[in-house]
Amino acid sequence: MSEALKSSIYDIVVIGAGIVGLSTAWQLLQRYPKYRILLVEKELEVGMHQTGHNSGVIHAGVYYAPGSLKADFCQRGAKATKAFCLQHGIEFNQCGKLLVATNALEKERMEALYLRCQENGLEVHQLDQNQLKEREPNVKGVAALFVPSTGIVSYQKICQKLAELFVQKGGELRLNTEVQNLDESHERVAITLNNDVVHTSYLVSCGGLMADRLTKMLNIPTDFQIIPFRGEYYQLPAKHNHLVNHLIYPIPDPDLPFLGVHLTRMIDGSVTVGPNAVQGWKREGYGRINIDLRDVFDMVRFPGFWKLLMNHWRTGLMETKNSWYKPGYLAQVRKYCDLVSLDDLQAYPAGIRAQAVMNDGSLVHDFLFSQSARTLHVCNAPSPAATSAFPIGAYIIDKLDEQMTSV
Ligand SMILES: Cc1cc2nc3c(=O)[nH]c(=O)nc-3n(C[C@H](O)[C@H](O)[C@H](O)COP(=O)(O)OP(=O)(O)OC[C@H]3O[C@@H](n4cnc5c(N)ncnc54)[C@H](O)[C@@H]3O)c2cc1C
């Protein structure tokens, strides 16, 4: 084997330096300290997409079906995230969260969520109207759930620390490097980058909004596609930085994977409102009218997209209207906090969720993975994947371990 070929061969390559890829790469190096491990990221910095455009909440695990990967990963992930922050001096705040019911239907749904919290073994308290007022004088509702363990953090800071540790331990991080093609043979996987070709014994892809395209490069049979859902935020002016003491969430529609517009205390002391969930026309385009022809073409060719539209057209229209009509957006917050006015809604960057949708139009609620003999792909890593990144990484490594012994 020539020296040039030898130097381009890695034991494991990880694609994507969002929080899932970084947590995986860092834990891989701890499990296999002698391996050559490469982490490839197409952007100039780590954590530039979903991980750098989210609410920064360390979720406790309120909503997730008992026994699901989400329920398990979220609870273990919240503990691991806080432990990592403590170990590395990253600021976080366990400010707790209130889920506020504003009418009888929401109270009924809230009670179902209370039972779910109990099934998931979470500490949760039911508050009546007076107890809610005591905790949150500026919030109105008929009842609430109080979850003390929910916290806030900057996931981008966690990513920066993970990247630093990964490189310090001998991992190779290539930024500004896009994976353009993958080719798997019996012995290894060839990876065509924008500036090089490298080879690896094993590959893990954590491509977020591009997850389906990476699996398609290997012709792995899958029956999902990523549909981008914009999450638009506003920021409140500094005079409202102490408007709320906790994170304030509405009671969500149990049929949808999105949590509803909430008041979020951010780790920098500000308060944001959002995010909504609006159909996006560009996977990694953050402006409201960004359109990418390839993204649109892929979407309209996908039968699941049309079925999704048919199933949720009413919600879709409402979300789109409120996206363009600020008073509509405001009404969602004023339902539980009427001190927020139209002038308080100041511009703030949007995020875009990578939501896997199946061919039959159903939204994938849980984490989803796919595999070939030498590759493993994270296909759906929706919220709370930032909270869950450490156990997701450990799960991937266990799966990879099984692959290594069976190949
Ligand atoms: C609006 C919003 C709010 C959220 N709020 C929360 C929250 O409060 N708490 C929580 O736990 N979760 C939250 N989430 C979910 C969480 O942010 C994501 O689930 C998580 O960040 C996913 O991480 P990731 O590493 O899988 O994806 P990403 O962060 O999107 O990273 C994927 C990376 O892969 C790279 N990539 C893709 N294709 C290629 C290629 N071909 N070559 C090289 N690199 C490539 C991309 O550039 C990107 O950096 C939120 C998400 C959104 C959008």
Side-chain angles (χ1 to χ4, degrees), residues 69-318:
L69 287 173
K70 261 193 183 178
D72 175 36
F73 288 171
C74 184
Q75 282 199 47
R76 290 196 289 122
K79 286 190 190 127
T81 302
K82 291 172 196 169
F84 183 85
C85 290
L86 284 174
Q87 192 183 353
H88 297 286
I90 298 170
E91 184 189 3
F92 73 98
N93 178 353
Q94 193 172 304
C95 52
K97 152 178 181 167
L98 291 180
L99 291 112
V100 179
T102 57
N103 56 40
L105 171 66
E106 288 178 3
K107 190 158 182 262
E108 204 179 301
R109 288 176 173 171
M110 184 197 90
E111 277 150 13
L113 278 177
Y114 177 72
L115 294 179
R116 180 156 279 192
C117 286
Q118 288 193 317
E119 282 175 85
N120 283 330
L122 284 184
E123 183 187 345
V124 57
H125 305 275
Q126 296 213 53
L127 307 184
D128 62 22
Q129 205 161 11
N130 292 333
Q131 290 166 321
L132 167 62
K133 260 282 161 287
E134 263 167 44
R135 281 199 168 271
E136 289 290 356
N138 297 328
V139 171
K140 55 179 187 176
V142 294
L145 290 185
F146 170 45
V147 185
S149 62
T150 305
I152 48 173
V153 73
S154 159
Y155 285 109
Q156 211 146 18
K157 287 214 170 116
I158 296 184
C159 282
Q160 283 154 5
K161 180 49 81 179
L162 282 168
E164 188 188 311
L165 294 170
F166 174 71
V167 173
Q168 257 170 22
K169 264 203 170 273
E172 190 181 330
L173 170 62
R174 290 201 204 176
L175 297 172
N176 201 14
T177 303
E178 180 170 358
V179 173
Q180 295 183 331
N181 198 27
L182 299 169
D183 187 13
E184 182 174 358
S185 69
H186 191 60
E187 290 85 29
R188 58 180 79 105
V189 184
I191 307 174
T192 308
L193 305 171
N194 52 334
N195 43 20
D196 200 359
V197 177
V198 296
H199 301 84
T200 182
S201 301
Y202 296 93
L203 173 88
V204 178
S205 80
C206 308
L209 285 146
M210 301 298 166
D212 52 344
R213 292 194 179 146
L214 289 161
T215 55
K216 277 182 191 146
M217 287 179 190
L218 287 162
N219 296 320
I220 295 175
T222 51
D223 48 4
F224 77 96
Q225 189 167 301
I226 294 294
I227 302 289
F229 279 93
R230 292 171 57 75
E232 295 163 337
Y233 293 90
Y234 291 100
Q235 186 171 44
L236 300 185
K239 67 173 183 188
H240 281 322
N241 281 1
H242 301 287
L243 183 69
V244 287
N245 304 314
H246 309 80
L247 308 176
I248 309 296
Y249 279 69
I251 304 293
D253 179 340
D255 291 335
L256 296 172
F258 310 123
L259 306 183
V261 166
H262 42 92
L263 280 173
T264 315
R265 292 179 48 194
M266 305 300 279
I267 199 69
D268 65 4
S270 64
V271 177
T272 60
V273 183
N276 60 0
V278 193
Q279 165 68 60
W281 299 104
K282 181 170 181 180
R283 292 187 184 204
E284 293 177 345
Y286 294 91
R288 185 172 278 155
I289 44 176
N290 280 174
I291 295 177
D292 180 279
L293 287 182
R294 180 178 175 198
D295 292 350
V296 174
F297 186 61
D298 276 358
M299 225 155 23
V300 297
R301 277 188 321 168
F302 173 54
F305 171 69
W306 297 104
K307 291 177 189 153
L308 175 75
L309 278 191
M310 267 161 37
N311 294 341
H312 296 287
W313 64 270
R314 214 183 288 272
T315 315
L317 274 183
M318 189 59 79

Side-chain angles (χ1 to χ4, degrees), residues 15-21 40-43 49-51 53-57 59 155 177-179 206-208 210 214 233 275 284 351-353 381-387:
I15 305 173
I19 196 161
V20 175
V40 182
E41 167 56 52
K42 64 181 165 53
E43 304 298 342
H49 288 295
Q50 294 176 92
T51 305
H53 291 88
N54 64 28
S55 304
V57 176
H59 285 289
Y155 285 109
T177 303
E178 180 170 358
V179 173
C206 308
M210 301 298 166
L214 289 161
Y233 293 90
E284 293 177 345
I352 303 178
R353 304 174 185 86
S383 184
T387 307

Side-chain angles (χ1 to χ4, degrees), residues 4-81:
L5 180 58
K6 243 195 233 165
S7 71
S8 77
I9 296 183
Y10 293 85
D11 295 302
I12 306 172
V13 171
V14 179
I15 305 173
I19 196 161
V20 175
L22 276 159
S23 141
T24 306
W26 178 64
Q27 293 182 75
L28 272 169
L29 261 188
Q30 293 176 64
R31 182 91 64 104
Y32 307 109
K34 298 227 162 75
Y35 278 15
R36 270 194 92 195
I37 301 179
L38 170 67
L39 173 58
V40 182
E41 167 56 52
K42 64 181 165 53
E43 304 298 342
L44 290 170
E45 285 175 43
V46 299
M48 291 295 279
H49 288 295
Q50 294 176 92
T51 305
H53 291 88
N54 64 28
S55 304
V57 176
I58 307 174
H59 285 289
V62 170
Y63 311 94
Y64 317 123
S68 62
L69 287 173
K70 261 193 183 178
D72 175 36
F73 288 171
C74 184
Q75 282 199 47
R76 290 196 289 122
K79 286 190 190 127
T81 302

